[in-house]
């Protein structure tokens, strides 16, 4: 019933094999496991190749940006030719941790956006404390990109509207379930642009906040969004599954 569009299954301390074995019991139809560097992108691809209900993305996360990334980019380019790879990601900008290298991050991000265009792949975007630069760059690239998925969205209604104008899909993770979160934003996302995810093993949603997260918990994200939008969770699951298939080109 559910689709988890953003998890890191190969990094999960519960064990990737164990998690996938529970998919049927947990009502998970399929997941997209996300790469953050060359090594775990290769692991994500191998794991997806071995499991029908797992797809992969490959990419280098902004915080791993270095001055010269040519070798890593060449390896990402090789990986993204694999048939189970549905996107480049997670890529983007992260200005949260002091000492970040804005120029390196932007260069790496642009190079991976160019790869996505060259191979007609969707992109999965990580954006933290970098909304203005993200909008500036995406405005430039959006017309040439297949689809754009903004993962774990936590921005304002105004910024969501700007991203939506660029055609982005907006994905929500555990934080949308937290007690202090203002869920007003959900009323501003068109239903055909809405995605759900866990970002597991991180960001476990309420009521399991603080535990090791896994795709099964996407049901809590779905339930909270369905309650907020006053629709049955089955309907929300169906809508977000169709959106995920479209966003990632999964048939
Ligand atoms: Zn992630």
């Amino acid at each position: 019933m559910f689709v988890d569009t953003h998890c890191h299954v190969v990094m999960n301390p519960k064990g990737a094999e164990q998690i996938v074995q529970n998919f049927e019991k947990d009502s998970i139809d399929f997941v997209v496991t996300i790469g953050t560097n060359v090594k775990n992108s290769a692991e994500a691809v191998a794991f997806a190749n071995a499991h029908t209900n797992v797809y992969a993305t490959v990419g280098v996360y902004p915080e791993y940006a270095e001055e010269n990334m040519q070798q890593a980019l060449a390896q990402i380019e090789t990986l993204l030719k694999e048939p189970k790879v549905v996107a480049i990601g997670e890529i983007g900008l992260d200005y949260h941790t002091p000492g970040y290298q804005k120029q390196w991050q932007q260069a790496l991000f642009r190079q991976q956006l160019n790869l996505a265009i060259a191979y007609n792949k969707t992109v999965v975007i990580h954006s933290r404390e970098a909304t203005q630069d993200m909008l500036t760059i995406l405005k430039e690239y959006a017309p040439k990109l297949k689809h754009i998925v903004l993962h774990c969205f936590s921005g304002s209604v105004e910024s969501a509207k700007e991203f939506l104008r660029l055609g982005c899909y907006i994905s929500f993770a555990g934080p949308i379930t937290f007690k202090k979160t203002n869920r007003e934003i959900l009323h501003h996302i068109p239903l055909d642009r809405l995605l759900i995810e866990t970002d597991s093993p991180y960001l476990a949603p309420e009521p399991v906040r603080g535990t090791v997260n896994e795709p099964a918990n996407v049901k809590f994200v779905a339930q909270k969004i369905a309650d907020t939008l006053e629709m049955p969770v089955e309907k929300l699951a169906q809508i977000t599954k169709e959106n995920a298939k479209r966003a990632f080109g999964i048939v």
Side-chain angles (χ1 to χ4, degrees):
M1 183 161 91
F2 299 109
V3 169
D4 183 356
T5 59
H6 189 116
C7 56
H8 304 275
V9 168
V10 296
M11 301 179 199
N12 200 302
K14 291 182 178 179
E17 285 295 345
Q18 188 57 51
I19 286 169
V20 171
Q21 241 131 68
N22 290 337
F23 275 180
E24 206 168 318
K25 169 176 85 57
D26 295 332
S27 302
I28 300 290
D29 288 343
F30 67 87
V31 305
V32 181
T33 190
I34 307 286
T36 62
N37 60 32
V38 171
K39 183 173 175 287
N40 65 37
S41 291
E43 289 166 1
V45 171
F47 194 74
N49 284 343
H51 299 86
T52 48
N53 44 10
V54 179
Y55 296 86
T57 74
V58 299
V60 182
Y61 191 72
E63 290 190 317
Y64 301 143
E66 288 172 20
E67 194 165 11
N68 185 339
M69 301 293 289
Q70 291 320 311
Q71 201 188 341
L73 288 164
Q75 289 170 293
I76 293 295
E77 183 169 0
T78 301
L79 286 169
L80 72 88
K81 294 171 185 166
E82 295 272 344
K84 290 293 286 289
V85 174
V86 292
I88 298 191
E90 57 187 297
I91 60 174
L93 304 172
D94 191 321
Y95 300 165
H96 177 72
T97 309
Y100 64 85
Q101 295 283 346
K102 205 183 254 195
Q103 301 313 321
W104 295 357
Q105 286 195 15
Q106 291 190 11
L108 175 65
F109 184 37
R110 285 174 179 278
Q111 284 165 312
Q112 293 183 101
L113 290 171
N114 285 329
L115 270 181
I117 291 165
Y119 288 86
N120 195 29
K121 291 285 182 189
T122 295
V123 289
V124 176
I125 304 287
H126 170 99
S127 177
R128 194 176 187 195
E129 294 172 33
T131 303
Q132 278 319 311
D133 284 352
M134 180 55 69
L135 277 167
T136 303
I137 293 176
L138 283 185
K139 272 177 191 157
E140 196 181 313
Y141 285 85
K144 289 179 268 175
L145 285 164
K146 186 179 179 186
H147 294 295
I148 305 167
V149 174
L150 279 184
H151 120 83
C152 195
F153 192 77
S154 61
S156 64
V157 170
E158 279 60 43
S159 65
K161 284 180 179 167
E162 294 216 50
F163 286 116
L164 286 165
R165 244 175 261 133
L166 296 176
C168 298
Y169 287 82
I170 310 282
S171 182
F172 292 95
I176 198 71
T177 69
F178 295 171
K179 290 190 176 71
K180 285 183 179 157
T181 298
N182 182 348
R183 284 175 280 276
E184 165 65 20
I185 188 160
L186 292 170
H187 296 285
H188 298 271
I189 312 296
L191 285 177
D192 64 353
R193 303 281 195 87
L194 180 65
L195 295 173
I196 54 174
E197 59 166 290
T198 59
D199 203 16
S200 55
Y202 318 108
L203 294 176
E206 292 289 356
V208 292
R209 192 173 177 183
T211 64
V212 175
N213 201 3
E214 64 172 295
N217 293 330
V218 80
K219 64 177 178 282
F220 297 121
V221 176
Q223 187 68 58
K224 184 60 85 178
I225 295 175
D227 290 349
T228 306
L229 297 178
E230 297 179 37
M231 69 164 71
V233 71
E234 293 79 9
K235 186 178 173 198
L236 192 275
Q238 183 61 31
I239 289 169
T240 50
K241 179 178 164 180
E242 290 307 317
N243 293 347
K245 287 170 139 181
R246 199 179 334 110
F248 292 104
I250 293 168
V251 276

